[in-house]
PDB file of all heavy atoms in Angstrom:
ATOM      1  N   ARG A 271      -8.276  24.519 -13.754  1.00 81.00           N
ATOM      2  CA  ARG A 271      -8.378  25.740 -14.673  1.00 81.00           C
ATOM      3  C   ARG A 271      -6.990  26.251 -15.037  1.00 81.00           C
ATOM      4  O   ARG A 271      -6.062  26.140 -14.303  1.00 81.00           O
ATOM      5  CB  ARG A 271      -9.157  26.790 -13.966  1.00 81.00           C
ATOM      6  CG  ARG A 271     -10.461  26.489 -13.314  1.00 81.00           C
ATOM      7  CD  ARG A 271     -11.281  27.625 -12.614  1.00 81.00           C
ATOM      8  NE  ARG A 271     -10.586  28.055 -11.443  1.00 81.00           N
ATOM      9  CZ  ARG A 271     -11.084  28.896 -10.578  1.00 81.00           C
ATOM     10  NH1 ARG A 271     -12.340  29.347 -10.795  1.00 81.00           N
ATOM     11  NH2 ARG A 271     -10.403  29.311  -9.525  1.00 81.00           N
ATOM     12  N   HIS A 272      -6.959  26.606 -16.262  1.00 80.00           N
ATOM     13  CA  HIS A 272      -5.624  27.072 -16.846  1.00 80.00           C
ATOM     14  C   HIS A 272      -5.736  28.498 -17.324  1.00 80.00           C
ATOM     15  O   HIS A 272      -6.691  29.036 -17.969  1.00 80.00           O
ATOM     16  CB  HIS A 272      -5.322  26.284 -18.101  1.00 80.00           C
ATOM     17  CG  HIS A 272      -5.427  24.736 -17.899  1.00 80.00           C
ATOM     18  ND1 HIS A 272      -4.329  24.070 -17.391  1.00 80.00           N
ATOM     19  CD2 HIS A 272      -6.401  23.804 -18.085  1.00 80.00           C
ATOM     20  CE1 HIS A 272      -4.590  22.766 -17.210  1.00 80.00           C
ATOM     21  NE2 HIS A 272      -5.834  22.632 -17.676  1.00 80.00           N
ATOM     22  N   ILE A 273      -4.662  29.280 -16.827  1.00 85.00           N
ATOM     23  CA  ILE A 273      -4.459  30.662 -17.269  1.00 85.00           C
ATOM     24  C   ILE A 273      -3.202  30.827 -17.983  1.00 85.00           C
ATOM     25  O   ILE A 273      -2.136  30.498 -17.366  1.00 85.00           O
ATOM     26  CB  ILE A 273      -4.541  31.601 -16.170  1.00 85.00           C
ATOM     27  CG1 ILE A 273      -5.878  31.523 -15.308  1.00 85.00           C
ATOM     28  CG2 ILE A 273      -4.250  32.954 -16.541  1.00 85.00           C
ATOM     29  CD1 ILE A 273      -6.013  32.342 -13.983  1.00 85.00           C
ATOM     30  N   VAL A 274      -3.212  31.053 -19.153  1.00 82.00           N
ATOM     31  CA  VAL A 274      -1.962  31.147 -20.006  1.00 82.00           C
ATOM     32  C   VAL A 274      -1.730  32.698 -20.369  1.00 82.00           C
ATOM     33  O   VAL A 274      -2.525  33.287 -20.903  1.00 82.00           O
ATOM     34  CB  VAL A 274      -1.950  30.400 -21.359  1.00 82.00           C
ATOM     35  CG1 VAL A 274      -0.635  30.524 -22.073  1.00 82.00           C
ATOM     36  CG2 VAL A 274      -2.296  28.830 -20.956  1.00 82.00           C
ATOM     37  N   ILE A 275      -0.603  33.153 -19.721  1.00 86.00           N
ATOM     38  CA  ILE A 275      -0.348  34.662 -20.045  1.00 86.00           C
ATOM     39  C   ILE A 275       0.575  34.715 -21.346  1.00 86.00           C
ATOM     40  O   ILE A 275       1.745  34.468 -21.285  1.00 86.00           O
ATOM     41  CB  ILE A 275       0.406  35.244 -18.870  1.00 86.00           C
ATOM     42  CG1 ILE A 275      -0.481  35.099 -17.560  1.00 86.00           C
ATOM     43  CG2 ILE A 275       0.652  36.781 -19.122  1.00 86.00           C
ATOM     44  CD1 ILE A 275      -1.858  35.782 -17.688  1.00 86.00           C
ATOM     45  N   ASP A 276      -0.032  35.009 -22.490  1.00 79.00           N
ATOM     46  CA  ASP A 276       0.758  35.028 -23.722  1.00 79.00           C
ATOM     47  C   ASP A 276       0.125  35.971 -24.696  1.00 79.00           C
ATOM     48  O   ASP A 276      -0.868  36.716 -24.221  1.00 79.00           O
ATOM     49  CB  ASP A 276       0.860  33.731 -24.308  1.00 79.00           C
ATOM     50  CG  ASP A 276      -0.497  33.116 -24.767  1.00 79.00           C
ATOM     51  OD1 ASP A 276      -1.439  33.761 -24.609  1.00 79.00           O
ATOM     52  OD2 ASP A 276      -0.530  31.899 -25.230  1.00 79.00           O
ATOM     53  N   LYS A 277       0.502  36.095 -25.885  1.00 78.00           N
ATOM     54  CA  LYS A 277      -0.074  36.984 -26.885  1.00 78.00           C
ATOM     55  C   LYS A 277      -1.607  36.638 -27.144  1.00 78.00           C
ATOM     56  O   LYS A 277      -2.369  37.622 -27.359  1.00 78.00           O
ATOM     57  CB  LYS A 277       0.605  36.846 -28.267  1.00 78.00           C
ATOM     58  CG  LYS A 277       2.092  37.414 -28.180  1.00 78.00           C
ATOM     59  CD  LYS A 277       2.706  37.223 -29.529  1.00 78.00           C
ATOM     60  CE  LYS A 277       2.124  38.125 -30.690  1.00 78.00           C
ATOM     61  NZ  LYS A 277       2.845  37.971 -31.887  1.00 78.00           N
ATOM     62  N   ARG A 278      -2.009  35.467 -26.981  1.00 77.00           N
ATOM     63  CA  ARG A 278      -3.375  35.112 -27.122  1.00 77.00           C
ATOM     64  C   ARG A 278      -4.323  35.814 -26.078  1.00 77.00           C
ATOM     65  O   ARG A 278      -5.490  36.099 -26.335  1.00 77.00           O
ATOM     66  CB  ARG A 278      -3.602  33.590 -27.175  1.00 77.00           C
ATOM     67  CG  ARG A 278      -2.983  32.832 -28.112  1.00 77.00           C
ATOM     68  CD  ARG A 278      -2.918  31.285 -27.803  1.00 77.00           C
ATOM     69  NE  ARG A 278      -2.208  30.583 -28.812  1.00 77.00           N
ATOM     70  CZ  ARG A 278      -2.813  29.952 -29.879  1.00 77.00           C
ATOM     71  NH1 ARG A 278      -4.106  30.029 -30.009  1.00 77.00           N
ATOM     72  NH2 ARG A 278      -2.098  29.232 -30.743  1.00 77.00           N
ATOM     73  N   SER A 279      -3.660  35.912 -24.885  1.00 78.00           N
ATOM     74  CA  SER A 279      -4.519  36.441 -23.858  1.00 78.00           C
ATOM     75  C   SER A 279      -4.739  37.968 -23.990  1.00 78.00           C
ATOM     76  O   SER A 279      -5.674  38.587 -23.416  1.00 78.00           O
ATOM     77  CB  SER A 279      -3.761  36.217 -22.504  1.00 78.00           C
ATOM     78  OG  SER A 279      -2.531  37.005 -22.513  1.00 78.00           O
ATOM     79  N   GLY A 280      -4.048  38.597 -24.960  1.00 86.00           N
ATOM     80  CA  GLY A 280      -4.231  39.966 -25.180  1.00 86.00           C
ATOM     81  C   GLY A 280      -3.560  40.950 -24.400  1.00 86.00           C
ATOM     82  O   GLY A 280      -3.555  42.149 -24.511  1.00 86.00           O
ATOM     83  N   PHE A 281      -2.636  40.398 -23.492  1.00 90.00           N
ATOM     84  CA  PHE A 281      -1.970  41.221 -22.580  1.00 90.00           C
ATOM     85  C   PHE A 281      -0.501  41.487 -23.012  1.00 90.00           C
ATOM     86  O   PHE A 281       0.065  42.417 -22.472  1.00 90.00           O
ATOM     87  CB  PHE A 281      -2.001  40.666 -21.161  1.00 90.00           C
ATOM     88  CG  PHE A 281      -3.463  40.468 -20.531  1.00 90.00           C
ATOM     89  CD1 PHE A 281      -3.840  39.239 -20.342  1.00 90.00           C
ATOM     90  CD2 PHE A 281      -4.125  41.582 -20.290  1.00 90.00           C
ATOM     91  CE1 PHE A 281      -5.193  39.054 -19.882  1.00 90.00           C
ATOM     92  CE2 PHE A 281      -5.465  41.416 -19.770  1.00 90.00           C
ATOM     93  CZ  PHE A 281      -5.913  40.162 -19.544  1.00 90.00           C
ATOM     94  N   LEU A 282       0.045  40.737 -23.858  1.00 92.00           N
ATOM     95  CA  LEU A 282       1.391  40.819 -24.234  1.00 92.00           C
ATOM     96  C   LEU A 282       1.552  41.154 -25.751  1.00 92.00           C
ATOM     97  O   LEU A 282       0.650  40.709 -26.505  1.00 92.00           O
ATOM     98  CB  LEU A 282       2.169  39.509 -23.877  1.00 92.00           C
ATOM     99  CG  LEU A 282       2.066  39.042 -22.449  1.00 92.00           C
ATOM    100  CD1 LEU A 282       2.956  37.686 -22.299  1.00 92.00           C
ATOM    101  CD2 LEU A 282       2.636  39.997 -21.525  1.00 92.00           C
ATOM    102  N   THR A 283       2.649  41.737 -25.999  1.00 91.00           N
ATOM    103  CA  THR A 283       3.026  41.944 -27.523  1.00 91.00           C
ATOM    104  C   THR A 283       4.383  41.467 -27.641  1.00 91.00           C
ATOM    105  O   THR A 283       5.135  41.397 -26.690  1.00 91.00           O
ATOM    106  CB  THR A 283       2.881  43.390 -27.815  1.00 91.00           C
ATOM    107  OG1 THR A 283       3.087  43.649 -29.226  1.00 91.00           O
ATOM    108  CG2 THR A 283       3.841  44.300 -26.968  1.00 91.00           C
ATOM    109  N   SER A 284       4.831  41.130 -28.916  1.00 89.00           N
ATOM    110  CA  SER A 284       6.115  40.671 -29.215  1.00 89.00           C
ATOM    111  C   SER A 284       6.968  41.678 -29.910  1.00 89.00           C
ATOM    112  O   SER A 284       6.461  42.538 -30.690  1.00 89.00           O
ATOM    113  CB  SER A 284       6.092  39.360 -30.097  1.00 89.00           C
ATOM    114  OG  SER A 284       5.406  39.706 -31.248  1.00 89.00           O
TER     115      SER A 284
END
Side-chain angles (χ1 to χ4, degrees):
R271 304 181 298 193
H272 304 278
I273 299 175
V274 180
I275 306 301
D276 61 4
K277 288 178 65 176
R278 296 166 182 266
S279 65
F281 300 114
L282 303 179
T283 184
S284 60

